[in-house]
Amino acid sequence: MAERPLRADARRNRERVLAAADEAFADHGFGVPLDEIAAAAGVGPGTVYRHFPTKEALFEAVSLARVQDVVDDARARADAADPGSAFEGFLARLAEEAGRKRDLPDALAGAGSHGIAGAVAELHDALGVLLARGQAAGAVRGDITVPDLVALLKGLLHTVRTDPEPGLRQRVFAVLRDGLRPPVE
């Protein structure tokens, strides 16, 4: 049996909950209480639970949208005329977002549903295209693999999330960026 579409008011409430959750998770990570999300959305906790039976389900919905946005950006950069700039621009975008969205590392880790894991796999594929093009253009070290890059990015994202020092993100990103460039002979 097909699911019935939501009434207009229920759809608006769901959208308000998702928008409030997106902001709350970005500001505070997964630890934000569900009651705070409900209050920010202007609805009661029962309304949140009608749309999302658990906080994990709400986080998964927000995370899936966040990861899909990152995937779309990586794919959009795949055909850039300058593969090195496209690769570096994508990494810079991730570093910038990590400073603003505390839940990004959790979202990119793919924790939760199959849908998020699928989106993270899509991200790895899109990242592989950017990496291969950057390497072919001589802008990225040839010995770096997608798993290497993912491990480095996880370290960057974790560091930025756990240390509030303002210049840390830029310094760590600069070291990452410089380390990914081919060695000068």
Coordinates of all heavy atoms in Angstrom, one line a residue, residues 78-173:
A78 N 33.6 18.0 -11.0 CA 34.3 17.0 -11.7 C 34.7 17.4 -13.1 O 35.7 16.8 -13.6 CB 33.4 15.7 -11.8
D79 N 34.0 18.2 -13.8 CA 34.3 18.6 -15.2 C 34.9 20.0 -15.3 O 35.0 20.5 -16.4 CB 33.0 18.6 -16.0 CG 32.4 17.2 -16.2 OD1 33.2 16.2 -16.2 OD2 31.2 17.0 -16.2
A80 N 35.5 20.5 -14.2 CA 36.1 21.8 -14.2 C 37.3 21.8 -15.2 O 38.0 20.8 -15.3 CB 36.5 22.2 -12.8
A81 N 37.5 23.0 -15.7 CA 38.7 23.1 -16.7 C 40.0 22.9 -15.9 O 41.0 22.5 -16.5 CB 38.6 24.5 -17.4
D82 N 40.1 23.3 -14.7 CA 41.3 23.2 -13.9 C 41.0 22.2 -12.8 O 40.5 22.5 -11.7 CB 41.7 24.5 -13.3 CG 43.0 24.5 -12.5 OD1 43.5 23.4 -12.2 OD2 43.4 25.6 -12.1
P83 N 41.4 20.9 -13.0 CA 41.2 19.8 -12.0 C 41.8 20.1 -10.7 O 41.3 19.7 -9.7 CB 41.7 18.6 -12.7 CG 41.8 18.9 -14.1 CD 42.0 20.4 -14.3
G84 N 43.0 20.7 -10.7 CA 43.7 21.0 -9.4 C 42.9 22.0 -8.6 O 42.8 21.8 -7.4
S85 N 42.4 23.0 -9.2 CA 41.6 24.0 -8.5 C 40.3 23.4 -8.0 O 39.8 23.7 -6.9 CB 41.4 25.2 -9.3 OG 42.6 25.9 -9.6
A86 N 39.7 22.6 -8.9 CA 38.5 21.9 -8.5 C 38.7 21.0 -7.2 O 37.9 21.1 -6.3 CB 37.9 21.1 -9.6
F87 N 39.7 20.3 -7.2 CA 40.0 19.4 -6.1 C 40.3 20.2 -4.8 O 39.7 20.0 -3.8 CB 41.3 18.5 -6.4 CG 41.7 17.6 -5.3 CD1 41.0 16.4 -5.1 CD2 42.8 17.9 -4.6 CE1 41.4 15.6 -4.1 CE2 43.2 17.0 -3.5 CZ 42.5 15.9 -3.3
E88 N 41.1 21.2 -5.0 CA 41.4 22.1 -3.8 C 40.2 22.8 -3.3 O 40.0 23.0 -2.1 CB 42.6 23.0 -4.2 CG 43.2 23.7 -2.9 CD 44.4 24.4 -3.3 OE1 45.4 23.9 -3.8 OE2 44.5 25.6 -2.9
G89 N 39.4 23.3 -4.3 CA 38.2 24.0 -3.9 C 37.2 23.1 -3.1 O 36.6 23.6 -2.2
F90 N 37.1 21.9 -3.5 CA 36.3 21.0 -2.8 C 36.8 20.7 -1.4 O 36.0 20.8 -0.4 CB 36.1 19.6 -3.6 CG 35.2 18.7 -2.9 CD1 33.9 18.8 -2.9 CD2 35.8 17.6 -2.2 CE1 33.0 17.9 -2.2 CE2 34.9 16.7 -1.5 CZ 33.6 16.9 -1.6
L91 N 38.1 20.5 -1.2 CA 38.6 20.3 0.1 C 38.4 21.6 0.9 O 38.1 21.5 2.1 CB 40.1 20.0 0.0 CG 40.5 18.7 -0.7 CD1 42.0 18.5 -0.6 CD2 39.8 17.5 -0.1
A92 N 38.6 22.7 0.3 CA 38.4 24.0 1.1 C 36.9 24.1 1.5 O 36.6 24.6 2.6 CB 38.8 25.2 0.2
R93 N 36.0 23.7 0.7 CA 34.6 23.7 1.1 C 34.3 22.9 2.3 O 33.6 23.2 3.2 CB 33.7 23.3 -0.1 CG 32.2 23.4 0.2 CD 31.5 22.1 0.1 NE 30.2 22.2 0.6 CZ 29.1 21.8 0.0 NH1 29.1 21.3 -1.2 NH2 27.9 21.9 0.6
L94 N 34.9 21.6 2.3 CA 34.7 20.7 3.4 C 35.3 21.4 4.7 O 34.7 21.3 5.8 CB 35.4 19.4 3.2 CG 34.7 18.4 2.2 CD1 35.4 17.1 2.1 CD2 33.2 18.2 2.6
A95 N 36.5 22.0 4.6 CA 37.1 22.6 5.7 C 36.3 23.7 6.3 O 36.1 23.9 7.5 CB 38.5 23.1 5.4
E96 N 35.7 24.5 5.4 CA 34.9 25.6 5.8 C 33.6 25.1 6.4 O 33.2 25.7 7.5 CB 34.5 26.5 4.5 CG 33.6 27.6 4.8 CD 34.1 28.7 5.7 OE1 35.4 28.9 5.7 OE2 33.4 29.4 6.4
E97 N 33.0 24.2 5.9 CA 31.8 23.6 6.5 C 32.0 23.0 7.8 O 31.2 23.0 8.7 CB 31.1 22.6 5.5 CG 30.3 23.4 4.4 CD 29.3 22.5 3.8 OE1 28.7 21.6 4.4 OE2 29.0 22.8 2.6
A98 N 33.2 22.3 7.9 CA 33.5 21.7 9.2 C 33.6 22.7 10.3 O 33.2 22.4 11.5 CB 34.8 20.9 9.1
G99 N 34.0 23.9 10.0 CA 34.0 25.0 11.0 C 32.6 25.5 11.4 O 32.4 25.9 12.5
R100 N 31.7 25.3 10.5 CA 30.3 25.8 10.7 C 29.3 24.7 11.1 O 28.3 25.0 11.8 CB 29.8 26.5 9.5 CG 30.4 27.8 9.1 CD 29.7 28.5 7.9 NE 28.8 27.7 7.1 CZ 29.2 27.2 5.9 NH1 30.3 27.5 5.4 NH2 28.4 26.5 5.2
K101 N 29.6 23.5 10.7 CA 28.6 22.4 10.9 C 29.2 21.3 11.7 O 29.9 20.5 11.2 CB 28.1 21.9 9.6 CG 27.4 23.0 8.8 CD 26.9 22.5 7.4 CE 26.2 23.7 6.7 NZ 25.9 23.3 5.4
R102 N 29.0 21.3 13.0 CA 29.6 20.4 13.9 C 29.2 18.9 13.7 O 29.8 18.0 14.1 CB 29.3 20.8 15.4 CG 29.9 22.1 15.7 CD 29.6 22.5 17.2 NE 30.0 21.4 18.1 CZ 31.3 21.3 18.6 NH1 32.2 22.1 18.2 NH2 31.5 20.3 19.5
D103 N 28.1 18.7 13.0 CA 27.7 17.4 12.7 C 28.2 16.8 11.4 O 28.0 15.6 11.1 CB 26.1 17.3 12.6 CG 25.6 18.1 11.5 OD1 26.2 19.1 11.1 OD2 24.5 17.7 11.0
L104 N 29.0 17.6 10.6 CA 29.5 17.1 9.4 C 30.4 15.8 9.5 O 30.2 14.9 8.7 CB 30.3 18.2 8.6 CG 30.7 17.9 7.2 CD1 29.6 17.6 6.3 CD2 31.6 19.0 6.7
P105 N 31.3 15.8 10.5 CA 32.0 14.5 10.6 C 31.2 13.3 10.8 O 31.4 12.2 10.2 CB 32.9 14.8 11.8 CG 33.1 16.3 11.9 CD 31.7 16.8 11.4
D106 N 30.1 13.4 11.7 CA 29.2 12.3 11.9 C 28.5 11.9 10.6 O 28.3 10.8 10.3 CB 28.2 12.6 13.0 CG 28.9 12.8 14.4 OD1 29.9 12.2 14.6 OD2 28.4 13.6 15.2
A107 N 28.0 12.9 9.9 CA 27.3 12.7 8.7 C 28.2 12.0 7.6 O 27.8 11.0 7.0 CB 26.7 14.0 8.1
L108 N 29.4 12.5 7.5 CA 30.3 11.9 6.5 C 30.8 10.5 6.9 O 31.3 9.8 6.1 CB 31.5 12.8 6.2 CG 31.1 14.1 5.5 CD1 32.4 15.0 5.3 CD2 30.4 13.9 4.2
A109 N 30.7 10.2 8.2 CA 31.1 8.9 8.7 C 30.1 7.8 8.2 O 30.4 6.6 8.2 CB 31.3 8.9 10.2
G110 N 28.9 8.3 7.8 CA 27.9 7.3 7.3 C 27.2 6.6 8.4 O 26.6 5.5 8.1
A111 N 27.3 7.0 9.6 CA 26.6 6.3 10.7 C 25.1 6.4 10.5 O 24.6 7.3 10.1 CB 27.0 7.0 12.1
G112 N 24.5 5.2 10.8 CA 23.1 5.2 10.7 C 22.5 4.4 9.6 O 23.0 3.3 9.4
S113 N 21.6 4.9 8.9 CA 20.8 4.1 7.9 C 21.6 3.7 6.7 O 22.7 4.3 6.4 CB 19.6 4.9 7.5 OG 20.0 5.9 6.6
H114 N 21.0 2.8 5.9 CA 21.6 2.4 4.7 C 21.7 3.6 3.7 O 22.6 3.7 2.9 CB 20.8 1.2 4.1 CG 21.2 0.8 2.7 ND1 22.4 0.2 2.5 CD2 20.6 1.0 1.5 CE1 22.5 -0.1 1.2 NE2 21.4 0.4 0.6
G115 N 20.7 4.5 3.8 CA 20.6 5.6 2.9 C 21.8 6.5 3.0 O 22.4 7.0 2.1
I116 N 22.3 6.7 4.3 CA 23.4 7.6 4.5 C 24.7 6.8 4.0 O 25.5 7.4 3.4 CB 23.6 8.0 6.0 CG1 22.4 8.9 6.4 CG2 24.9 8.6 6.3 CD1 22.3 9.1 7.9
A117 N 24.8 5.5 4.3 CA 25.9 4.8 3.9 C 26.0 4.8 2.4 O 27.1 4.9 1.8 CB 25.8 3.3 4.4
G118 N 24.9 4.7 1.7 CA 24.8 4.8 0.2 C 25.3 6.2 -0.3 O 26.1 6.2 -1.2
A119 N 24.9 7.2 0.4 CA 25.3 8.6 0.0 C 26.8 8.8 0.3 O 27.5 9.4 -0.5 CB 24.5 9.6 0.8
V120 N 27.3 8.2 1.4 CA 28.8 8.3 1.6 C 29.5 7.5 0.6 O 30.6 8.0 0.1 CB 29.1 7.8 3.1 CG1 30.6 7.6 3.3 CG2 28.5 8.7 4.1
A121 N 29.0 6.4 0.1 CA 29.7 5.6 -1.0 C 29.7 6.5 -2.2 O 30.7 6.5 -3.0 CB 29.0 4.3 -1.2
E122 N 28.6 7.2 -2.5 CA 28.5 8.1 -3.7 C 29.6 9.2 -3.5 O 30.2 9.6 -4.5 CB 27.2 8.7 -3.8 CG 26.1 7.8 -4.3 CD 24.7 8.5 -4.4 OE1 24.7 9.7 -4.9 OE2 23.7 8.0 -3.9
L123 N 29.8 9.7 -2.3 CA 30.8 10.7 -2.0 C 32.2 10.2 -2.3 O 33.0 10.9 -3.0 CB 30.7 11.2 -0.6 CG 31.7 12.3 -0.2 CD1 31.7 13.5 -1.1 CD2 31.6 12.6 1.2
H124 N 32.5 9.0 -1.9 CA 33.8 8.4 -2.2 C 34.0 8.3 -3.7 O 35.1 8.5 -4.1 CB 33.9 7.0 -1.5 CG 34.0 7.2 0.0 ND1 34.5 6.2 0.8 CD2 33.7 8.2 0.9 CE1 34.5 6.5 2.1 NE2 34.0 7.7 2.1
D125 N 33.0 7.9 -4.4 CA 33.1 7.8 -5.9 C 33.4 9.1 -6.5 O 34.2 9.3 -7.3 CB 31.8 7.2 -6.5 CG 31.6 5.7 -6.1 OD1 32.6 5.0 -5.7 OD2 30.5 5.2 -6.3
A126 N 32.6 10.1 -6.1 CA 32.8 11.5 -6.6 C 34.2 12.1 -6.2 O 34.8 12.7 -7.0 CB 31.7 12.4 -6.1
L127 N 34.6 11.8 -5.0 CA 35.9 12.2 -4.5 C 37.0 11.5 -5.4 O 38.0 12.1 -5.7 CB 36.0 11.9 -3.1 CG 37.2 12.5 -2.3 CD1 37.3 14.0 -2.5 CD2 37.1 12.1 -0.8
G128 N 36.8 10.2 -5.7 CA 37.7 9.5 -6.5 C 37.9 10.1 -7.9 O 39.0 10.2 -8.4
V129 N 36.8 10.6 -8.5 CA 36.9 11.3 -9.8 C 37.7 12.6 -9.6 O 38.6 12.9 -10.4 CB 35.5 11.6 -10.3 CG1 35.6 12.5 -11.6 CG2 34.8 10.3 -10.7
L130 N 37.4 13.4 -8.6 CA 38.2 14.6 -8.4 C 39.7 14.3 -8.2 O 40.5 15.0 -8.7 CB 37.6 15.4 -7.2 CG 36.3 16.1 -7.4 CD1 35.9 16.7 -6.0 CD2 36.4 17.2 -8.5
L131 N 39.9 13.3 -7.3 CA 41.3 12.9 -7.0 C 42.0 12.5 -8.3 O 43.2 12.9 -8.6 CB 41.3 11.8 -6.0 CG 42.7 11.3 -5.6 CD1 43.6 12.4 -5.0 CD2 42.5 10.1 -4.6
A132 N 41.4 11.6 -9.1 CA 42.1 11.1 -10.3 C 42.3 12.2 -11.3 O 43.4 12.2 -11.9 CB 41.2 10.0 -10.9
R133 N 41.4 13.1 -11.4 CA 41.6 14.2 -12.4 C 42.7 15.1 -11.9 O 43.5 15.6 -12.6 CB 40.3 15.0 -12.6 CG 39.3 14.2 -13.4 CD 38.1 15.1 -13.9 NE 38.6 15.9 -15.0 CZ 38.5 17.2 -15.1 NH1 37.9 17.9 -14.1 NH2 38.9 17.9 -16.1
G134 N 42.8 15.4 -10.6 CA 43.8 16.2 -10.0 C 45.2 15.6 -10.1 O 46.2 16.2 -10.4
Q135 N 45.2 14.3 -10.0 CA 46.5 13.5 -10.1 C 46.9 13.5 -11.6 O 48.1 13.8 -11.9 CB 46.3 12.1 -9.6 CG 46.3 12.0 -8.1 CD 45.9 10.6 -7.6 OE1 45.1 9.9 -8.2 NE2 46.4 10.3 -6.4
A136 N 46.0 13.3 -12.5 CA 46.3 13.3 -13.9 C 46.8 14.7 -14.4 O 47.7 14.8 -15.3 CB 45.1 12.9 -14.8
A137 N 46.4 15.8 -13.8 CA 46.8 17.1 -14.1 C 48.1 17.5 -13.4 O 48.6 18.6 -13.6 CB 45.7 18.1 -13.7
G138 N 48.6 16.6 -12.5 CA 49.9 16.9 -11.8 C 49.7 17.8 -10.6 O 50.7 18.3 -10.1
A139 N 48.4 18.0 -10.2 CA 48.2 18.9 -9.1 C 48.1 18.2 -7.7 O 48.1 18.8 -6.7 CB 46.9 19.6 -9.3
V140 N 48.0 16.8 -7.7 CA 47.9 16.0 -6.5 C 48.8 14.9 -6.6 O 49.0 14.3 -7.7 CB 46.4 15.5 -6.4 CG1 46.3 14.7 -5.1 CG2 45.4 16.6 -6.4
R141 N 49.4 14.6 -5.5 CA 50.4 13.4 -5.4 C 49.7 12.2 -6.0 O 48.6 11.9 -5.8 CB 50.7 13.1 -4.0 CG 51.4 14.2 -3.2 CD 51.5 13.8 -1.7 NE 52.2 12.5 -1.6 CZ 53.3 12.4 -0.9 NH1 53.8 13.4 -0.2 NH2 53.9 11.2 -0.8
G142 N 50.5 11.4 -6.8 CA 50.0 10.2 -7.4 C 49.9 9.1 -6.5 O 49.2 8.1 -6.9
D143 N 50.5 9.1 -5.3 CA 50.4 7.9 -4.4 C 49.3 8.0 -3.4 O 49.2 7.1 -2.6 CB 51.8 7.8 -3.7 CG 52.1 9.0 -2.8 OD1 51.6 10.1 -3.1 OD2 53.0 8.8 -1.9
I144 N 48.4 9.0 -3.5 CA 47.3 9.1 -2.6 C 46.1 8.4 -3.2 O 45.8 8.5 -4.4 CB 46.9 10.6 -2.4 CG1 48.1 11.4 -1.8 CG2 45.6 10.8 -1.6 CD1 48.4 10.9 -0.4
T145 N 45.4 7.6 -2.4 CA 44.2 6.9 -2.8 C 43.0 7.6 -2.1 O 43.1 8.4 -1.2 CB 44.3 5.4 -2.3 OG1 44.3 5.4 -0.9 CG2 45.5 4.7 -2.9
V146 N 41.8 7.2 -2.5 CA 40.6 7.7 -1.9 C 40.6 7.3 -0.4 O 40.3 8.2 0.4 CB 39.3 7.2 -2.6 CG1 38.1 7.6 -1.8 CG2 39.3 7.9 -4.0
P147 N 40.9 6.1 0.0 CA 40.9 5.8 1.4 C 41.9 6.7 2.2 O 41.6 7.1 3.3 CB 41.2 4.3 1.5 CG 40.8 3.7 0.2 CD 41.0 4.8 -0.8
D148 N 43.1 6.9 1.6 CA 44.0 7.8 2.2 C 43.4 9.2 2.5 O 43.5 9.8 3.5 CB 45.3 8.0 1.4 CG 46.1 6.8 1.1 OD1 46.0 5.8 1.9 OD2 46.8 6.7 0.1
L149 N 42.8 9.7 1.4 CA 42.2 11.0 1.5 C 41.0 11.1 2.5 O 40.9 12.1 3.3 CB 41.7 11.4 0.1 CG 41.2 12.9 -0.1 CD1 42.2 13.9 0.3 CD2 40.8 13.1 -1.5
V150 N 40.2 10.1 2.5 CA 39.1 10.0 3.5 C 39.7 10.0 4.9 O 39.2 10.8 5.8 CB 38.2 8.8 3.2 CG1 37.2 8.6 4.4 CG2 37.5 9.0 1.9
A151 N 40.7 9.3 5.2 CA 41.3 9.3 6.5 C 41.9 10.6 6.9 O 41.7 11.1 8.0 CB 42.4 8.2 6.6
L152 N 42.5 11.3 5.9 CA 43.0 12.7 6.2 C 41.9 13.6 6.5 O 41.9 14.5 7.4 CB 43.8 13.1 5.0 CG 45.2 12.4 4.8 CD1 45.8 12.8 3.4 CD2 46.1 12.8 5.9
L153 N 40.8 13.5 5.7 CA 39.7 14.4 5.9 C 39.0 14.2 7.2 O 38.6 15.1 7.9 CB 38.7 14.3 4.7 CG 39.1 14.8 3.4 CD1 38.2 14.4 2.3 CD2 39.3 16.3 3.4
K154 N 38.8 12.9 7.6 CA 38.2 12.6 8.9 C 39.1 13.2 10.0 O 38.5 13.8 11.0 CB 38.1 11.1 9.1 CG 37.0 10.5 8.3 CD 36.9 9.0 8.6 CE 35.8 8.3 7.8 NZ 35.8 6.9 8.0
G155 N 40.4 13.2 9.9 CA 41.2 13.8 10.9 C 41.0 15.3 10.9 O 40.9 15.9 12.0
L156 N 41.0 15.9 9.8 CA 40.7 17.4 9.7 C 39.4 17.7 10.3 O 39.3 18.6 11.2 CB 40.8 17.8 8.2 CG 40.3 19.3 8.0 CD1 41.3 20.3 8.5 CD2 40.0 19.5 6.5
L157 N 38.4 17.0 9.9 CA 37.0 17.3 10.4 C 36.9 17.1 12.0 O 36.3 17.9 12.7 CB 36.0 16.5 9.7 CG 35.9 16.8 8.2 CD1 35.0 15.7 7.6 CD2 35.4 18.2 8.0
H158 N 37.5 16.0 12.4 CA 37.5 15.8 13.9 C 38.2 16.8 14.7 O 37.7 17.3 15.7 CB 38.1 14.4 14.2 CG 38.2 14.1 15.6 ND1 37.1 13.8 16.4 CD2 39.2 14.1 16.5 CE1 37.4 13.6 17.7 NE2 38.7 13.8 17.7
T159 N 39.4 17.2 14.2 CA 40.2 18.2 14.8 C 39.4 19.6 14.9 O 39.4 20.2 16.0 CB 41.5 18.4 14.1 OG1 42.2 17.2 14.2 CG2 42.4 19.5 14.8
V160 N 38.9 19.9 13.8 CA 38.1 21.2 13.8 C 36.9 21.2 14.7 O 36.6 22.2 15.4 CB 37.7 21.5 12.3 CG1 36.8 22.7 12.2 CG2 39.0 21.8 11.5
R161 N 36.3 20.1 14.8 CA 35.1 20.0 15.6 C 35.4 20.0 17.1 O 34.7 20.5 17.9 CB 34.3 18.7 15.3 CG 33.1 18.5 16.2 CD 32.2 17.4 15.8 NE 32.9 16.1 16.1 CZ 32.3 14.9 15.9 NH1 31.1 14.9 15.5 NH2 33.0 13.8 16.2
T162 N 36.5 19.4 17.5 CA 36.8 19.3 18.9 C 37.7 20.4 19.5 O 37.8 20.5 20.7 CB 37.5 17.9 19.2 OG1 38.7 17.8 18.4 CG2 36.6 16.8 18.8
D163 N 38.3 21.2 18.6 CA 39.1 22.3 19.1 C 38.6 23.7 18.7 O 38.6 23.9 17.5 CB 40.5 22.1 18.6 CG 41.5 23.0 19.4 OD1 41.2 24.2 19.7 OD2 42.7 22.6 19.6
P164 N 38.1 24.5 19.6 CA 37.5 25.8 19.2 C 38.5 26.9 18.8 O 38.0 28.0 18.4 CB 36.7 26.2 20.4 CG 37.5 25.6 21.6 CD 38.1 24.3 21.0
E165 N 39.8 26.6 18.8 CA 40.7 27.7 18.4 C 40.5 28.1 17.0 O 40.5 27.4 16.1 CB 42.1 27.1 18.6 CG 43.2 28.1 18.8 CD 43.8 28.6 17.4 OE1 44.3 27.7 16.7 OE2 43.7 29.8 17.1
P166 N 40.3 29.5 16.8 CA 39.8 30.0 15.5 C 40.7 29.7 14.3 O 40.3 29.4 13.3 CB 39.7 31.5 15.8 CG 39.8 31.7 17.2 CD 40.4 30.5 17.8
G167 N 42.0 29.8 14.5 CA 42.9 29.7 13.3 C 43.3 28.2 13.0 O 44.0 28.0 12.0
L168 N 42.9 27.3 13.9 CA 43.3 25.9 13.7 C 42.8 25.3 12.4 O 43.6 24.7 11.7 CB 42.7 25.1 14.8 CG 43.0 23.6 14.8 CD1 44.5 23.4 15.0 CD2 42.2 22.8 15.8
R169 N 41.6 25.6 12.0 CA 41.0 25.0 10.7 C 41.9 25.5 9.5 O 42.3 24.6 8.7 CB 39.6 25.5 10.5 CG 39.0 25.0 9.2 CD 37.5 25.4 9.0 NE 37.2 26.7 9.3 CZ 37.4 27.7 8.4 NH1 37.8 27.5 7.2 NH2 37.1 29.0 8.7
Q170 N 42.2 26.7 9.5 CA 43.0 27.2 8.3 C 44.4 26.6 8.3 O 44.9 26.2 7.3 CB 43.1 28.7 8.4 CG 41.8 29.5 8.1 CD 41.0 29.7 9.3 OE1 41.3 29.3 10.4 NE2 39.8 30.2 9.1
R171 N 45.0 26.5 9.5 CA 46.4 25.9 9.6 C 46.4 24.4 9.2 O 47.2 23.9 8.4 CB 47.0 26.1 10.9 CG 47.3 27.5 11.2 CD 48.2 27.7 12.5 NE 47.6 27.0 13.7 CZ 46.8 27.5 14.5 NH1 46.3 28.8 14.3 NH2 46.3 26.9 15.5
V172 N 45.4 23.7 9.8 CA 45.4 22.2 9.5 C 45.0 22.0 8.0 O 45.6 21.1 7.3 CB 44.4 21.5 10.4 CG1 44.1 20.1 10.0 CG2 44.9 21.6 11.9
F173 N 44.1 22.8 7.5 CA 43.8 22.7 6.1 C 45.0 23.0 5.2 O 45.3 22.3 4.2 CB 42.6 23.6 5.7 CG 42.3 23.6 4.2 CD1 41.9 22.4 3.6 CD2 42.6 24.7 3.4 CE1 41.6 22.4 2.2 CE2 42.4 24.6 2.1 CZ 41.9 23.5 1.5

